[in-house]
């Protein structure tokens, strides 16, 4: 499948506003990849596919997770996390992506994880700071991203964790683990 076919197929699975977000993530991921020395083509592919299942019915996302032995613990947490695991599976099954680094960038773009690859960091951060994002603190994260992908991600995870705590929601443990891992990476 060439780029145009991939883009048309993914675009068909989401509302136009989410497609605009996806394009913003793609542009931002490619820019960050170039800045930090990551493969821009992999960043492009992972970014285009990162939300491929976001607008699938929740039951379909759940079925993909359950039926394929994916991280079933996700089902105990916010449904907003589910599309990432389902999306990585669909990227492989439906789009023939077999590069584990690209699949992991899709899989962990919402939660992060310990020991994230540079590509995973780039796609996760691009999802936070793409130009269409407008939430308290996003400009600060964008400024930090000018100098450090790790520090910017920590700021992003801090905001996500704060938001979930303020809403009285559970925090997916992998996000806390990802944050702590990034701090260890910076401290050394």
């Amino acid at each position: 499948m060439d780029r145009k076919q991939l883009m048309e197929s993914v675009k068909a699975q989401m509302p136009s506003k989410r497609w605009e977000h996806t394009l913003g993530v793609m542009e931002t991921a490619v820019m960050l990849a170039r800045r930090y020395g990551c493969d821009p083509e992999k960043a492009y592919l992972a970014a285009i596919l990162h939300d491929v299942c976001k607008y699938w019915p929740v039951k379909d996302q759940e079925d993909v997770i359950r039926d394929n032995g994916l991280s079933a613990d996700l089902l105990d947490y916010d449904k907003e996390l589910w599309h990432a695991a389902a999306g990585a599976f669909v990227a492989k099954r439906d789009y023939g992506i077999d590069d584990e680094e690209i699949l992991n960038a899709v899989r962990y773009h919402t939660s992060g994880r310990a020991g994230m690859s540079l590509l995973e960091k780039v796609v996760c951060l691009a999802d936070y700071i793409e130009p269409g994002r407008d939430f308290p603190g996003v400009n600060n994260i964008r400024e930090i991203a000018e100098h450090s992908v790790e520090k910017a991600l920590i700021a992003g995870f801090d905001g996500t964790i704060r938001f979930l705590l303020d809403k009285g929601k559970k925090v997916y443990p992998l996000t806390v683990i990802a944050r702590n891992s990034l701090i260890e990476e910076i401290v050394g």
Side-chain angles (χ1 to χ4, degrees):
M1 178 177 291
D2 67 20
R3 272 187 177 205
K4 185 177 181 188
Q5 291 170 315
L6 173 70
M7 290 179 77
E8 288 302 317
S9 179
V10 173
K11 180 181 179 180
Q13 297 190 50
M14 57 185 63
S16 61
K17 189 165 176 74
R18 179 53 52 166
W19 179 244
E20 289 171 25
H21 161 75
T22 297
L23 291 176
V25 173
M26 183 268 298
E27 291 167 5
T28 305
V30 168
M31 179 267 301
L32 290 169
R34 289 186 176 130
R35 177 180 298 154
Y36 290 106
C38 181
D39 184 331
E41 182 63 22
K42 287 185 179 189
Y44 166 86
L45 286 170
I48 290 297
L49 290 162
H50 86 282
D51 276 350
V52 68
C53 293
K54 178 101 172 157
Y55 287 89
W56 284 23
V58 171
K59 177 72 172 117
D60 292 351
Q61 293 178 44
E62 180 181 358
D63 289 347
V64 167
I65 292 168
R66 281 193 200 285
D67 297 347
N68 297 288
L70 307 180
S71 304
D73 66 320
L74 273 173
L75 301 177
D76 295 329
Y77 294 89
D78 199 302
K79 292 171 181 63
E80 289 297 315
L81 295 168
W82 298 4
H83 73 280
F89 179 83
V90 166
K92 185 171 189 165
R93 182 190 70 193
D94 297 352
Y95 296 98
I97 305 295
D98 58 6
D99 184 313
E100 216 38 55
E101 191 177 19
I102 294 170
L103 295 173
N104 282 337
V106 174
R107 186 176 292 117
Y108 298 111
H109 82 272
T110 57
S111 65
R113 68 171 179 153
M116 293 171 77
S117 73
L118 181 56
L119 180 64
E120 290 170 54
K121 292 173 187 177
V122 159
V123 174
C124 186
L125 181 57
D127 190 33
Y128 269 112
I129 67 169
E130 64 92 1
R133 291 288 200 196
D134 184 23
F135 58 85
V138 70
N139 287 329
N140 181 53
I141 298 170
R142 287 181 181 127
E143 287 174 19
I144 297 168
E146 295 286 327
H147 309 287
S148 171
V149 68
E150 291 81 12
K151 289 179 181 178
L153 272 176
I154 291 168
F157 288 143
D158 285 352
T160 296
I161 291 167
R162 250 187 245 101
F163 174 82
L164 292 170
L165 292 174
D166 289 348
K167 295 288 183 187
K169 292 187 172 196
K170 294 192 290 185
V171 177
Y172 189 49
L174 207 51
T175 303
V176 176
I177 290 167
R179 179 190 180 276
N180 291 344
S181 177
L182 289 164
I183 289 171
E184 288 174 11
E185 223 177 288
I186 290 169
V187 173

